[in-house]
Amino acid sequence: MLPEKNVLVELYRKMLLDRYLEEAMVELYRQGYIPGSLHLGIGHEALSIGTTVPLRRDDYLVFSHRGVGHSLGKGVPARTILAEFMGRATGCSLGKGGVHLSDFSVGCLGISGSQGGNIVIATGAGLSAKMRGTDQVTAVYFGEGTANRGCFHEGINQAAVWRLPVIFICENDLYSYSTHQSKIMLRENVADHAYGYGIPGVVVDGNDVLAVYEAMQEAIARARAGEGPTLIEGKTYRWRGHHEKDPALYRDPAEVEAWKQKCPIKRFELFLQAERIISPEEQASIQDEVRQEVQEAIDFALNSPFPQPEELYRGVYANPAGILDLI
Amino acid sequence: MRRITYRQALREALQEEMERDARVFLMGEDVGIFGGNFKVSQGLIDKFGEERVRDTTLAETVIIGAGVGAAITGMRPVCEIMLADFVGVCFDEIYNKAGKWRYMHGCEVAVPMVIRTPMGCRGGGGAEHSQCPEALFLHGPGLKIALPSTPYDAKGLLKAAIRDDDPVVFFEHKLLYDLEGEVPEEEYIVPLGKAAIRREGQDVTILAYSFMVHKALAAAEALAANGIEAEVVDLRTLVPLDVETVLASARKTRRVVIIHEANKRGGAGAELAAIIQEKLFGVLAAPVIRVCAPDVPIPFSPALEKVYLPDEEKLQQAVRELLAK
């Protein structure tokens, strides 16, 4: 069943916000405003937004290193995300995390530096929700490369055995850094692993936001009803390199172009127009609003202060008694 | 005062904290009906059920990773790693996730969890079932480290660790589980970061923790027979470290020997020696000496294990050599 118009508009709006913000980050990175390595999720928007919009504010999210879209989908403000990537004191992790985006007020629990480290943490968040007797759901994200790590097996199997409300989402974009999926696994679908854990495994077109949304809703309903985890695999493609210094020469330009033709946002726009869900005027006005929001986020981040030097020492421990005098 | 074993003291701490706080729960391999490999949690499943005394899969990464996930979402897990050697399997989860999650995510969330794990040689364990890996975590920001040497401390420190809002790696020594000692019936806590002076003396300071405290006390008695009065300081926790007590004792005796069961290179003794010389270089009458295991894998044969382990004779010899300088 097609979601209500307000949901469709929210999906569209947030996909656009993700795209525009990440495109702005490409420029800001080039200009030197964003230090370190920047891993963008341009091309992934149907998955990052389609799986987060159906979640409640108190549900938990443990995304991976391409977490801009997921954060926006869950309700983290664009301005604090951007300020974080720019190392500012106003960032959502106070400028101490960078890629480690978090916002506990909307259930964004953070990211693991090691790929897949987040999977076992999500299992724990699911365990916590179950033990506390809430119906909170945890969603966790990883790529097809990470699905070969031991923590994938340990986290999903334990969640399956304990029937935990955790949704494991594989964003399969064909390449783990430079390595094609065909070199790292014999089967076509990561979701096939679900059979081994005794849980449902679902393969979905990861560029079709409505298909993603529907699969996610089913998984959420299962999780809230105490029926345990689901493994969802969305097939998609990242348009940029693994990070912004990676020109991704290991990919055939024709392949990249073919996937760009399958742009999840364009595709959704065509659908919304064909079904007469939003008018061209509405669409233009949403685009203007989102552009403005991104510009405000840029202004906010650029005008934000860097952390004070003493911030280096603060907060290592929640209870620093007996420790600070050593620093 | 009543006497109970180190094992019973730990079990009482777990039981009392689980009764006091519904957020506290246990998880690990065979901690349920089996009661844990060293029987510390025996009987707790009857009191608290399988929901709060959870047998996990044989998978250390998820034991600690799920512990972190539960801790940052409102629970206070006590995770058991069957042997301290197996921390290598979940090193990322302890060192990076438990230790750094709070700081790298804006210092807002706390990670209140305890990682209990038995360490040390007990005869024939060999290279991967006998180690004392505390130094690995001493190097990691964000973690606290407790190493009780007595039943009293086992209970009091475990209760403090469970109540603490930071992740605590809690090392229990296998040879101490059957040790009996005085433990009051009434409620008490041993705060993290307060060393105990187990024996006073003015000639030399011996810094020790965990099982080696007992070797240090035995050595001190033997030395006293020869007129050498050693002060034995039980550090109890390495993080926080009771620098004040360590330095006060070192200032008094001007000679310090550190003993630990772990091998020497990069061990806790290196850090302690560095702190002492940084603060008291001009005060010390002699170099700070370490009595530790050599930098070799732990051998299986009891004949070699005896050579490997630091003990009271090696400690006495080191003290005598130091005093001769």
Side-chain angles (χ1 to χ4, degrees):
Chain A
M1 205 179 75
L2 197 62
E4 298 286 315
K5 180 177 175 181
N6 64 329
V7 174
L8 295 171
V9 169
E10 190 187 2
L11 288 168
Y12 177 59
R13 199 182 174 289
K14 286 197 159 161
M15 285 169 78
L16 266 189
L17 180 59
D18 182 15
R19 175 68 60 90
Y20 290 174
L21 181 61
E22 297 204 40
E23 284 175 346
M25 289 169 73
V26 171
E27 277 312 304
L28 290 164
Y29 189 77
R30 221 194 304 268
Q31 292 163 13
Y33 287 109
I34 297 176
S37 291
L38 179 62
H39 311 81
L40 295 176
I42 296 174
H44 283 202
E45 296 89 348
L47 272 170
S48 57
I49 302 299
T51 53
T52 48
V53 165
L55 291 168
R56 286 195 322 234
R57 185 184 171 91
D58 67 337
D59 288 328
Y60 295 127
L61 209 58
V62 202
F63 39 78
S64 73
H65 54 304
R66 289 181 216 290
V68 174
H70 313 76
S71 304
L72 292 169
K74 196 69 170 58
V76 185
R79 50 171 52 196
T80 65
I81 295 171
L82 191 55
E84 185 59 36
F85 277 107
M86 288 167 55
R88 308 299 171 120
T90 53
C92 58
S93 296
L94 305 186
K96 290 178 171 180
V99 69
H100 294 279
L101 302 174
S102 65
D103 187 336
F104 295 91
S105 70
V106 294
C108 285
L109 301 181
I111 87 146
S112 161
S114 56
Q115 296 301 310
N118 58 343
I119 299 176
V120 285
I121 286 178
T123 296
L127 173 62
S128 163
K130 186 174 187 185
M131 291 187 75
R132 285 181 288 107
T134 75
D135 67 346
Q136 290 164 292
V137 163
T138 300
V140 58
Y141 299 78
F142 47 88
E144 78 289 350
T146 303
N148 300 297
R149 276 203 65 200
C151 43
F152 170 89
H153 174 67
E154 293 191 24
I156 299 184
N157 184 60
Q158 188 68 79
V161 168
W162 286 343
R163 296 257 183 281
L164 300 181
V166 184
I167 303 169
F168 298 93
I169 300 163
C170 178
E171 299 170 292
N172 184 342
D173 57 13
L174 278 176
Y175 292 84
S176 41
Y177 207 142
S178 72
T179 307
H180 191 268
Q181 182 189 329
S182 59
K183 290 186 180 171
I184 58 167
M185 53 188 284
L186 292 180
R187 295 191 68 97
E188 187 185 340
N189 300 323
V190 170
D192 291 352
H193 290 310
Y195 177 78
Y197 305 118
I199 63 169
V202 183
V203 179
V204 65
D205 180 342
N207 281 20
D208 179 352
V209 71
L210 292 176
V212 170
Y213 183 86
E214 192 183 330
M216 188 65 180
Q217 276 201 314
E218 276 179 38
I220 292 171
R222 264 180 57 78
R224 292 215 205 283
E227 292 167 20
T230 301
L231 173 57
I232 297 175
E233 176 183 11
K235 307 282 194 184
T236 189
Y237 201 78
R238 69 171 141 78
W239 292 13
R240 309 291 299 175
H242 170 63
H243 53 72
E244 283 304 293
K245 287 202 178 84
D246 167 26
L249 300 175
Y250 42 82
R251 303 190 304 196
D252 183 345
E255 179 185 278
V256 179
E257 193 46 43
W259 275 96
K260 285 186 175 174
Q261 293 304 314
K262 294 192 263 188
C263 172
I265 297 176
K266 264 280 171 284
R267 180 172 171 175
F268 195 40
E269 278 173 353
L270 290 173
F271 169 84
L272 293 172
Q273 286 163 7
E275 297 293 319
R276 298 184 186 283
I277 291 163
I278 55 173
S279 66
E281 293 74 28
E282 275 177 290
Q283 186 181 323
S285 111
I286 292 170
Q287 289 173 341
D288 286 346
E289 280 168 30
V290 171
R291 276 204 190 87
Q292 197 180 335
E293 186 174 343
V294 169
Q295 190 54 53
E296 282 168 8
I298 295 169
D299 295 341
F300 172 82
L302 285 173
N303 290 315
S304 287
F306 286 100
Q308 293 297 307
E310 56 269 26
E311 190 61 27
L312 174 68
Y313 304 104
R314 197 189 68 79
V316 179
Y317 293 89
N319 169 20
I323 288 175
L324 281 185
D325 55 342
L326 265 187
I327 289 170
Chain B
M1 197 186 293
R2 70 169 180 154
R3 295 173 67 81
I4 60 173
T5 65
Y6 187 88
R7 174 186 291 107
Q8 288 168 318
L10 291 165
R11 189 182 302 143
E12 278 191 4
L14 293 172
Q15 182 177 331
E16 288 175 18
E17 292 307 299
M18 289 175 79
E19 282 166 353
R20 193 184 63 82
D21 187 342
R23 298 170 298 176
V24 178
F25 70 101
L26 314 185
M27 65 173 160
E29 293 158 16
D30 308 296
V31 299
I33 291 169
F34 190 68
N37 197 37
F38 292 91
K39 301 296 176 197
V40 170
S41 55
Q42 195 163 46
L44 294 182
I45 195 167
D46 302 326
K47 293 190 172 67
F48 299 102
E50 356 185 271
E51 187 70 7
R52 290 180 71 196
V53 184
R54 291 187 164 260
D55 280 325
T56 62
T57 50
L58 198 169
E60 285 79 7
T61 302
V62 77
I63 294 171
I64 303 302
V68 173
I72 61 174
T73 53
M75 301 297 286
R76 302 182 84 88
V78 180
C79 301
E80 178 172 318
I81 296 299
M82 188 181 284
L83 294 176
D85 309 75
F86 305 158
V87 296
V89 183
C90 47
F91 188 77
D92 185 34
E93 278 57 45
I94 303 175
Y95 194 77
N96 290 318
K97 307 306 180 286
K100 295 162 190 161
W101 202 264
R102 167 183 167 78
Y103 186 88
M104 66 190 181
H105 293 109
C107 310
E108 182 185 332
V109 75
V111 189
M113 67 186 290
V114 178
I115 298 157
R116 285 185 43 241
T117 192
M119 72 175 192
C121 290
R122 61 163 182 164
E128 288 193 89
H129 294 80
S130 309
Q131 298 172 87
C132 296
E134 68 276 9
L136 298 178
F137 302 107
L138 180 61
H139 194 60
L143 298 168
K144 294 178 178 176
I145 302 171
L147 314 99
S149 67
T150 67
Y152 181 91
D153 281 4
K155 181 172 181 183
L157 285 173
L158 184 52
K159 287 169 75 87
I162 292 171
R163 293 184 194 189
D164 201 89
D165 280 337
D166 293 308
V168 181
V169 190
F170 195 91
F171 290 101
E172 301 162 8
H173 198 289
K174 290 168 214 159
L175 288 179
L176 291 174
Y177 282 124
D178 290 322
L179 179 74
E180 282 193 5
E182 290 189 342
V183 175
E185 303 267 4
E186 56 273 16
E187 162 93 6
Y188 71 95
I189 290 279
V190 175
L192 305 177
K194 293 277 175 251
I197 296 175
R198 299 296 185 195
R199 185 186 193 286
E200 291 195 20
Q202 68 286 336
D203 297 327
V204 61
T205 294
I206 302 173
L207 301 180
Y209 51 84
S210 190
F211 184 57
M212 286 296 136
V213 169
H214 303 278
K215 299 292 178 190
L217 286 169
E221 287 310 310
L223 290 164
N226 294 315
I228 299 168
E229 292 299 331
E231 180 145 298
V232 176
V233 179
D234 179 353
L235 297 173
R236 287 173 157 166
T237 58
L238 287 172
V239 185
L241 180 67
D242 188 350
V243 179
E244 202 176 317
T245 299
V246 168
L247 294 182
S249 181
R251 199 175 279 117
K252 180 172 80 173
T253 64
R254 300 168 62 224
R255 289 179 172 82
V256 180
V257 179
I258 302 157
I259 182 168
H260 58 62
E261 182 175 326
N263 58 304
K264 182 184 270 186
R265 188 171 61 217
E271 177 65 17
L272 292 165
I275 292 171
I276 293 164
Q277 67 84 15
E278 277 172 357
K279 302 284 184 188
L280 299 178
F281 184 73
V283 175
L284 294 173
V288 178
I289 298 297
R290 290 172 289 165
V291 177
C292 316
D295 296 307
V296 301
I298 301 171
F300 168 73
S301 169
L304 293 176
E305 194 184 270
K306 184 169 169 40
V307 182
Y308 172 85
L309 284 171
D311 60 19
E312 55 264 49
E313 282 79 29
K314 292 171 187 170
L315 180 55
Q316 281 179 61
Q317 193 186 338
V319 169
R320 287 204 184 90
E321 285 172 13
L322 186 68
L323 287 170
K325 283 184 183 176

